[in-house]
């Protein structure tokens, strides 16, 4: 019995000593924290900046204006093989109105869509649709080279030139539209980080295919008006993104690129009637988006 009593006192003393030691350490730590607030830090996994971390995503919808360099358009088909040189064109923006915000009419305007996923910190893989519109200027006289077997249309060529203004020889546009379906890589850098607002800059490049709905009427034939994979394009782009409350985004972007379409449908016949052209394009766009995390953060 005496031995058990001695053993119990020893164990009790050990436990009490441990508690006293722990309490002393706790008090010391608390006192040190109060005396030197900068010395003690508690590490937490903070929510990352928008448009910065692997696993983040964003979606964007906006509207664009485009510009196009002059181009040579080569036409081939039954009874003709000719080229129109230095043809000018412009875009066709829709008049400002409710059509820009009406979901049932959004494809009428020149619009852009983006969906991005950050495959690495500050590096996003971006799927894009650029719905531009390309309209050949009708009121122009262009240089002509080649042959036309139909005497009616061959007679419209005077001194190596053809006047397009009366629309009898040709009308030519990609208005439903000049669709550039692309995949790009974009690098992001945070420029301003304030409470509830961030300014993020990006730059990158893209590559994709052209899926236009070309409206072409050549030599009085029935108009060709259908979607068709006509060629490819590539671009360089840069954007500024103003992000509010870590999620809502206003995006302004500029891009320049090169388009090569070697299989533009010009009549309702699948073969051999077609045209080909290549040109440089520029585009500015703006719109709204939303960014979010696919990973949880404390």
């Amino acid at each position: 019995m005496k031995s058990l009593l001695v053993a119990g006192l020893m164990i009790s003393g050990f436990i009490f000593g441990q508690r006293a030691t722990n309490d002393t350490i706790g008090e010391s730590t608390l006192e040190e924290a109060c005396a030197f607030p900068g010395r003690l830090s508690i590490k937490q996994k903070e929510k990352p900046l928008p448009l910065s971390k692997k696993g983040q995503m964003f979606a964007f919808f906006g509207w664009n204006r485009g510009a196009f360099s002059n181009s040579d358009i080569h036409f081939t088909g039954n009874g003709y093989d000719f080229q129109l040189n230095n043809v000018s064109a412009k875009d066709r923006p829709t008049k400002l109105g409710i059509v820009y915000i009406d979901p049932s009419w959004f494809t009428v305007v020149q619009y852009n869509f983006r969906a991005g996923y950050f495959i690495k910190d500050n590096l996003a893989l971006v799927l894009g649709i650029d719905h531009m519109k390309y309209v050949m200027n009708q009121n122009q006289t262009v240089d002509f080279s080649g042959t036309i077997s139909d005497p009616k249309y061959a007679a419209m060529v005077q001194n190596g030139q053809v006047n397009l203004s009366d629309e009898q020889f040709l009308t030519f546009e990609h208005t439903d539209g000049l669709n550039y379906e692309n995949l790009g890589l974009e690098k992001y850098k945070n420029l301003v980080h304030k409470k509830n607002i961030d300014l993020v800059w990006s730059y990158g490049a893209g590559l994709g295919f052209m899926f236009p709905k070309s409206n072409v009427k050549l030599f009085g034939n029935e108009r060709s008006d259908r979607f068709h994979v006509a060629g490819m394009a590539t671009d360089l782009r840069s954007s500024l993104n103003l992000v509010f409350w870590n999620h809502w985004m206003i995006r302004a972007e500029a891009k320049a690129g090169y388009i090569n379409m070697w299989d533009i449908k010009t009549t309702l016949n699948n073969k051999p009637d077609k045209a080909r052209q290549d040109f440089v394009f520029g585009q500015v766009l703006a719109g709204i988006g939303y960014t979010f995390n696919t990973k949880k953060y404390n």
Side-chain angles (χ1 to χ4, degrees), residues 46-62:
E46 296 180 353
K47 188 175 181 179
L49 299 173
L51 304 175
S52 66
K53 288 296 183 182
K54 179 180 178 180
Q56 288 182 335
M57 295 187 68
F58 70 87
F60 165 85
F61 184 86

Side-chain angles (χ1 to χ4, degrees), residues 238-249:
S238 181
S239 73
L240 282 175
N241 305 272
L242 194 62
V243 185
F244 300 90
W245 304 296
N246 291 316
H247 293 293
W248 292 101
M249 175 174 65

Side-chain angles (χ1 to χ4, degrees), residues 72-93:
D72 301 335
I73 310 176
H74 194 108
F75 295 84
T76 55
N78 288 323
Y80 61 90
D81 184 348
F82 67 92
Q83 181 169 294
L84 302 180
N85 297 320
N86 208 30
V87 178
S88 65
K90 59 186 177 182
D91 69 345
R92 180 182 285 169

